[in-house]
Amino acid sequence: MNEPVMTIENLGLEFPLGRTLYDVVQRRPGRVVNALNGVSLQLNKGETLGVVGESGCGKSTLARCIVRLYEPQHGQIHYHGQDIFEAEAKKDRSYNRRVQMMFQDPYSSLNPRMTTGQILSEALRVHDMRPANEIPARVAELLDLVRLPQDAADKLPHEFSGGQRQRIAIARSLAVEPEVLIADELVSALDVSVQAQVVNLLLELQERLNLTILFVAHDLRLVRHVSNRVAVIYLGRIVEIGDSETLFSRPSHPYSQALLSAAPSLDPDDKGKAIRLEGELPSPLNVPSGCPFHVRCRHATELCKREVPALLPRDGRGEVACHHVEELN
Amino acid sequence: MIDQKPILEVSNLCTTFRRGGVDLPAVRDVSFSVGQGEVLGLVGESGSGKSVTLRSILGLSRRYGDVTGEVRWLGQDIASMPERKLRHIRGREIAMIFQEPMTSLNPLLTVGMQLTETLKAHTDLNRAARRDRAIEMLDHVGIPSAASRLGEFPHQFSGGMRQRVMIAIALAASPKLLLADEPTTALDVTIQAQILDLILSLADEMQMGVILVTHDLGVVAQTCENVAVMYAGRVVEQGAVRQVLGAPRHPYTVGLMRSVPQNVPPRTQLYSVPGTPPSLEALPVGCAFASRCQNRTERCLTARPTLDAITDDRRVACFNPVAAEKAGAA
Amino acid sequence: MSDISLSESEATKPQKTRLQIALRKPGFLIGVAIIGFSSLLAIAPGLFAPYDPNFIDYNAVRQPPSWAHPFGTDMLGRDSLSRVISAYTVNMQMALLATIFALIIGVTVGALVGYYRGVADMIFGRFVDAIITFPFLVLVIAVVAVLGPGLINMYIAITMVGWVYYARLMRAEVIAQMGNDYSAAGVVMGYSDRRIIFRHLLPNAITPVIVYWMTDMALAILLGSSLGYLGLGAQPPQAEWGVLIAEGRNFITTAWWLSLMPGVAIVLTGLGFSLMGDGLADLLRPRG
């Protein structure tokens, strides 16, 4: 179970905003958005690693780095020991086949002018997955796999509901027989009852095809449900990572604690029990010094303002980046 | 909990849109009431008619479709009220906030101008008093250094802060009822919690009724006293939140509750309602949920169940409601 | 299964209704009719022209419209109607040849710079700025002046200037389409850039360009006949609407029909293209 498929080390990515006239007059460099800051994690064979955090925290950027839509300025990503950003590796399209991504918006991730059948057979053809004469049969198989009826092959994306479109996107990814699936907010745009259908399908497919999944989402209940391990990201840094059940039942980092208790419970009796965070997520343009969370943290001290806490292992509780984790728990 | 005489009474509200020559029954026979200081949740999935219901109350739907039924506001029917008279109620007595705080503020006007504009329309305050009141409102909704932020434009505020500004504008004229259309859907959970707390405390303080439209059952559980669950344009279950969510009786409510992965063993198959909601163009003759329902009988396909009281203030529209004990276990 | 059954009824509907909606608009129908008939005249003018357009009859000079000569005759006694009809060949050719290469070049360049951005896009941007500051006609005349008058040179001149407008439109549309995740999905699927640009982005981005093309064909006829009028395009005795108007200019007070009839042909064809473009916009828009 613990065989690493992918290791991410110290990943850092900044988006330059360009130098404005004001910057030039002030003789200072243009501003940058700090999207990722020293993210390290390991993705193990067959597991689901959940990634949670608020919008703008860098979780989608991380997903997009993994599939090489963005190239990070710092750090490395190794896939089975191979650096994916090395010049030689970048030409290798088989990486794109082995590591697939699925997107949030089911209305924009499918080409509106191609039928489901065309979308799936294109993927099969480009990667030579099947000889030409076996492609229709494989398309039928894929539709079956994601529980879409056979006549779906001749329809255009606009003829499907959001949930069905996400099934098509899943089928497209599975067409090239990947090892790793990156699900970026796969079900966030769907209604609750449909969400459950798609999540069930994903879990079932993972079991059947021995897939490794990185599940990026802001819905904590969903992440808890599908993940083996979870990483909590705040302003481009992992603040806590560990076994899903432990992290959700006994979060160690003050941010994880606040985030988890902010998710509205279905039980009206939980009213008023939640920890309320003060203030807003600081802009990634202007990341606070020291611990990025200190401006919103009730337990922050002078030390937190000065020094960035390292992500350190706690006995049997995963890894936590907090100066005061021992006193707080 | 509910005040003895409601401030808003909606009865048999129906809204029909016409598109390409086809009638779309967006809202059908919706009835409910809201008392002073009461927070009512309208919950449902996309296309269930919850937002249209909210808009129909304020007469915003009649420009696009046909609205029938009665909307009694403090005793007078506002569903048939002419636009000119309705304008005195909108914003002053009944205010509304929307999902997208980005687009419901005018990007070209400062926040202060948009706030004082509302005050000018609905109060007799003079210029200086309006400014004072605007600062007071921003302060009230938790915007730090309110006075200095009056001159800023919407894009200088974060999503959560914009929603606070929207709330400040909505509440500027001290309305007695707030209609909130998915006010926190676009926000992060920690900010959502702040905004919901704010709405609740203001409702309590100003003795203002609130109708909260949302798709999130968790939000309903944490903020509302009463709830109406909508499906395909109709209310299918209605009652006190504690009862409806604690022991849902309509199979759709049960399905919705069980689809949420809470208190389920991780990585197991979730309960899911099969299929998708019917399209409004082709609603079945019987119960709209029948095709997805496990309790379906012959009768469900031919006749439509009415929303009947099962106890004093608990209503369910189902021929075969889920037994109370069984639902509680789910 | 029940998942899909709801959209079952819609499955065959959309395509049909879209064509039906387009055909229900009288404007689109009129446009198609005008352009269809114009093309027929252009391909086989001999079938419709009552006389040989170049037959000179000094006994019938500048006759007013009559049953024998519905559009009258010109200063050489040639039948005006036959000349206007035979001009369809060259004027419709103008609409096509002056624009088609601009369309192809513009679409390709626009798609490429829109997709790759970077330095090429910056250079393209400056170039567009430079071209667009000049009035179109002045630029075309300048190019014709260098190359020399004549139809072929006129096509080259219009193409050299005109492709920029197509490219600009295409670039903007491609960038807008790239905001949709299907292009990122293509990258993630390991598709080649060529496939993503031409198979995925182009079909979705081209609709406004096609609509612009329709208007541009009308403009090309207008521009071509302007140049013909100025003596920089088609050369007499070739029958071309601009040339015909120029020939009639000296007799405008006495033989008004000589200039009026070719003018009507220009207006009518231009109207046809515009009406057709409007309808196409509805027809080509993707659903959903």
Side-chain angles (χ1 to χ4, degrees):
Chain A
M1 188 71 184
N2 271 348
E3 178 203 339
V5 172
M6 195 174 280
T7 42
I8 297 170
E9 274 165 73
N10 205 19
L11 207 64
L13 178 64
E14 296 169 345
F15 295 109
L17 281 187
R19 233 172 139 198
T20 60
L21 188 61
Y22 188 66
D23 294 326
V24 176
V25 171
Q26 294 275 303
R27 289 169 195 271
R28 61 172 189 203
R31 298 202 293 173
V32 291
V33 177
N34 252 302
L36 289 175
N37 211 329
V39 170
S40 300
L41 50 84
Q42 181 176 320
L43 196 54
N44 297 322
K45 179 85 188 158
E47 75 169 347
T48 303
L49 175 62
V51 176
V52 292
E54 295 176 274
S55 54
C57 73
K59 56 189 194 301
S60 285
T61 311
L62 174 66
R64 284 173 181 246
C65 280
I66 294 177
V67 292
R68 295 199 294 214
L69 280 172
Y70 295 149
E71 182 157 355
Q73 283 106 349
H74 312 285
Q76 281 133 19
I77 300 179
H78 287 273
Y79 176 64
H80 290 297
Q82 168 74 49
D83 184 343
I84 65 165
F85 291 107
E86 219 172 57
E88 227 10 66
K90 269 166 48 184
K91 284 186 220 137
D92 178 16
R93 292 202 189 278
S94 75
Y95 175 76
N96 291 103
R97 186 175 77 68
R98 303 294 291 153
V99 180
Q100 276 293 312
M101 174 159 171
M102 297 169 303
F103 297 83
Q104 169 173 11
D105 182 2
Y107 292 89
S108 95
S109 65
L110 302 173
N111 184 342
R113 292 190 187 271
M114 287 169 81
T115 65
T116 309
Q118 287 170 332
I119 289 169
L120 298 181
S121 53
E122 178 180 40
L124 294 169
R125 254 183 300 112
V126 169
H127 287 284
D128 279 327
M129 300 306 296
R130 290 287 188 282
N133 59 348
E134 289 173 28
I135 284 179
R138 178 60 179 158
V139 168
E141 236 174 79
L142 286 166
L143 290 176
D144 240 15
L145 199 62
V146 296
R147 309 267 157 67
L148 283 172
Q150 291 303 323
D151 64 356
D154 301 320
K155 292 183 184 173
L156 290 168
H158 73 83
E159 294 171 68
F160 296 97
S161 67
Q164 291 166 341
R165 288 183 203 209
Q166 287 304 44
R167 286 168 197 259
I168 299 170
I170 294 173
R172 175 175 61 186
S173 291
L174 295 180
V176 295
E177 292 163 30
E179 178 180 25
V180 180
L181 281 184
I182 314 291
D184 186 8
E185 302 273 10
L186 181 67
V187 296
S188 314
L190 306 177
D191 276 322
V192 193
S193 70
V194 183
Q195 245 178 18
Q197 296 171 4
V198 177
V199 164
N200 285 344
L201 177 69
L202 194 68
L203 286 174
E204 187 199 312
L205 290 171
Q206 176 173 36
E207 186 106 329
R208 246 165 96 179
L209 306 169
N210 194 21
L211 296 165
T212 305
I213 298 178
L214 186 83
F215 192 85
V216 178
H218 67 272
D219 185 330
L220 297 151
R221 282 186 296 237
L222 267 178
V223 171
R224 176 181 200 167
H225 186 74
V226 301
S227 306
N228 304 102
R229 285 194 307 139
V230 172
V232 182
I233 297 197
Y234 188 76
L235 283 175
R237 289 177 191 277
I238 294 182
V239 295
E240 182 166 2
I241 182 167
D243 170 69
S244 169
E245 266 324 288
T246 329
L247 197 151
F248 277 101
S249 51
R250 288 178 301 151
S252 300
H253 195 283
Y255 176 65
S256 316
Q257 291 167 355
L259 189 65
L260 297 194
S261 76
S265 159
L266 284 184
D267 186 350
D269 291 331
D270 289 343
K271 215 179 263 190
K273 282 189 194 162
I275 307 168
R276 287 291 184 254
L277 269 188
E278 294 290 314
E280 310 249 326
L281 189 72
S283 151
L285 266 172
N286 209 345
V287 178
S289 65
C291 173
F293 186 60
H294 84 254
V295 283
R296 296 171 82 187
C297 184
R298 289 183 298 181
H299 315 289
T301 60
E302 274 308 311
L303 176 67
C304 304
K305 291 177 192 163
R306 267 197 333 268
E307 270 175 54
V308 182
L311 190 63
L312 297 172
R314 282 189 83 207
D315 290 338
R317 302 273 296 265
E319 294 165 57
V320 185
C322 177
H323 291 302
H324 304 293
V325 61
E326 294 307 330
E327 304 131 61
L328 294 179
N329 289 281
Chain B
M1 279 280 234
I2 306 164
D3 199 290
Q4 41 280 68
K5 54 173 189 294
I7 50 173
L8 179 81
E9 282 179 279
V10 175
S11 34
N12 301 318
L13 185 73
C14 294
T15 303
T16 313
F17 295 121
R18 276 187 83 79
R19 199 178 61 195
V22 188
D23 278 344
L24 298 180
V27 175
R28 276 294 170 270
D29 287 323
V30 167
S31 307
F32 56 79
S33 60
V34 184
Q36 214 172 34
E38 180 191 338
V39 182
L40 170 74
L42 268 185
V43 68
E45 297 182 281
S46 46
S48 62
K50 55 192 194 300
S51 287
V52 179
T53 302
L54 203 65
R55 280 153 204 260
S56 300
I57 292 172
L58 260 191
L60 298 175
S61 295
R62 55 188 182 193
R63 235 169 288 170
Y64 311 102
D66 184 36
V67 181
T68 62
E70 222 182 34
V71 179
R72 285 208 163 272
W73 171 246
L74 300 175
Q76 58 178 331
D77 186 15
I78 59 172
S80 54
M81 192 180 270
E83 196 73 4
R84 203 162 33 84
K85 278 178 79 184
L86 195 55
R87 216 172 291 147
H88 295 291
I89 292 174
R90 274 189 209 143
R92 186 177 307 180
E93 295 177 13
I94 306 178
M96 187 159 178
I97 53 175
F98 300 90
Q99 173 177 354
E100 273 301 329
M102 321 289 161
T103 52
S104 29
L105 286 170
N106 184 339
L108 296 177
L109 297 180
T110 65
V111 161
M113 282 160 91
Q114 301 189 48
L115 250 171
T116 45
E117 191 183 23
T118 316
L119 290 170
K120 199 172 169 184
H122 299 298
T123 64
D124 305 321
L125 298 174
N126 66 24
R127 206 182 152 85
R130 285 201 297 264
R131 192 186 139 81
D132 289 345
R133 174 90 175 125
I135 295 172
E136 188 190 317
M137 285 311 301
L138 284 186
D139 201 45
H140 207 145
V141 296
I143 290 179
S145 50
S148 66
R149 300 212 74 173
L150 270 188
E152 292 186 7
F153 291 91
H155 70 89
Q156 291 167 292
F157 289 76
S158 70
M161 283 296 163
R162 277 189 209 138
Q163 196 56 284
R164 285 173 193 267
V165 171
M166 274 307 299
I167 294 173
I169 292 176
L171 303 190
S174 310
K176 299 187 188 80
L177 179 68
L178 177 69
L179 307 181
D181 189 2
E182 304 253 14
T184 58
T185 304
L187 305 174
D188 282 313
V189 272
T190 60
I191 311 298
Q192 163 171 289
Q194 293 173 356
I195 297 290
L196 291 176
D197 283 354
L198 174 70
I199 292 176
L200 281 189
S201 70
L202 290 173
D204 189 48
E205 200 176 299
M206 300 166 68
Q207 275 302 294
M208 172 179 71
V210 178
I211 303 180
L212 181 72
V213 162
T214 177
H215 66 277
D216 189 331
L217 289 166
V219 167
V220 172
Q222 297 305 309
T223 41
C224 305
E225 287 136 38
N226 293 302
V227 62
V229 182
M230 291 190 70
Y231 185 79
R234 288 175 190 273
V235 173
V236 294
E237 183 159 10
Q238 201 171 8
V241 165
R242 206 168 285 277
Q243 292 175 21
V244 173
L245 299 192
R249 303 293 305 275
H250 195 282
Y252 175 64
T253 320
V254 175
L256 267 189
M257 288 292 292
R258 293 181 60 190
S259 302
V260 179
Q262 182 170 328
N263 306 325
V264 215
R267 300 184 55 72
T268 53
Q269 292 279 303
L270 285 173
Y271 177 84
S272 75
V273 186
T276 47
S279 95
L280 293 177
E281 292 161 55
L283 283 179
V285 264
C287 172
F289 187 64
S291 66
R292 303 174 74 186
C293 184
Q294 292 175 331
N295 295 4
R296 170 186 59 217
T297 57
E298 248 348 275
R299 194 173 162 212
C300 304
L301 297 172
T302 50
R304 185 184 308 116
T306 48
L307 189 65
D308 293 325
I310 45 171
T311 57
D312 267 355
D313 42 68
R314 186 82 195 277
R315 292 163 174 275
V316 179
C318 184
F319 293 126
N320 316 298
V322 180
E325 326 78 73
K326 202 173 146 198
Chain C
M1 268 317 255
S2 57
D3 241 6
I4 194 89
S5 58
L6 294 163
S7 54
E8 211 86 65
S9 54
E10 283 175 44
T12 47
K13 220 168 44 180
Q15 299 300 349
K16 241 192 221 161
T17 48
R18 204 143 41 112
L19 192 62
Q20 278 168 351
I21 289 167
L23 289 179
R24 221 184 294 148
K25 282 170 106 181
F28 181 61
L29 274 184
I30 294 171
V32 170
I34 293 176
I35 297 308
F37 189 60
S38 302
S39 308
L40 204 62
L41 288 175
I43 293 164
L47 287 182
F48 300 91
Y51 303 93
D52 175 352
N54 294 319
F55 176 74
I56 297 173
D57 180 1
Y58 288 113
N59 295 324
V61 192
R62 274 183 274 140
Q63 285 187 351
S66 64
W67 284 114
H69 300 284
F71 287 10
T73 61
D74 69 2
M75 62 287 177
L76 297 176
R78 292 174 294 195
D79 176 51
S80 244
L81 175 63
S82 303
R83 294 202 39 90
V84 169
I85 288 177
S86 81
Y88 265 98
T89 310
V90 64
N91 284 89
M92 290 299 282
Q93 193 192 59
M94 260 173 213
L96 192 68
L97 292 187
T99 56
I100 188 88
F101 299 107
L103 172 78
I104 294 168
I105 298 170
V107 162
T108 313
V109 172
L112 290 176
V113 295
Y115 184 76
Y116 287 108
R117 310 295 292 270
V119 186
D121 188 42
M122 270 169 59
I123 296 169
F124 173 76
R126 296 285 164 273
F127 183 70
V128 168
D129 291 345
I131 294 280
I132 286 181
T133 37
F134 286 99
F136 191 74
L137 187 63
V138 172
L139 264 183
V140 171
I141 291 175
V143 179
V144 172
V146 173
L147 298 175
L151 274 180
I152 304 285
N153 288 348
M154 187 185 89
Y155 296 150
I156 295 175
I158 297 180
T159 303
M160 278 173 70
V161 182
W163 72 270
V164 174
Y165 294 82
Y166 288 95
R168 193 170 68 139
L169 194 56
M170 189 66 189
R171 173 186 171 275
E173 205 50 40
V174 162
I175 290 172
Q177 285 295 327
M178 280 170 73
N180 288 330
D181 281 333
Y182 69 81
S183 68
V187 176
V188 172
M189 293 299 298
Y191 296 164
S192 64
D193 289 352
R194 208 176 65 190
R195 175 175 286 275
I196 295 168
I197 296 170
F198 293 105
R199 182 95 177 84
H200 293 263
L201 291 170
L202 195 140
N204 285 295
I206 206 160
T207 304
V209 181
I210 296 291
V211 173
Y212 173 71
W213 182 35
M214 292 294 133
T215 3
D216 196 37
M217 288 206 274
L219 289 173
I221 292 178
L222 213 58
L223 184 64
S225 40
S226 304
L227 290 174
Y229 181 85
L230 294 174
L232 295 169
Q235 301 295 318
Q238 170 124 49
E240 190 275 334
W241 295 331
V243 172
L244 294 181
I245 295 173
E247 283 173 357
R249 186 184 44 193
N250 295 333
F251 313 102
I252 194 82
T253 48
T254 52
W256 47 269
W257 56 89
L258 289 183
S259 293
L260 180 70
M261 294 311 176
V264 169
I266 293 176
V267 170
L268 210 62
T269 327
L271 185 72
F273 278 119
S274 298
L275 290 175
M276 203 161 96
D278 262 7
L280 274 184
D282 294 336
L283 201 65
L284 295 175
R285 200 182 310 123
R287 288 178 52 105

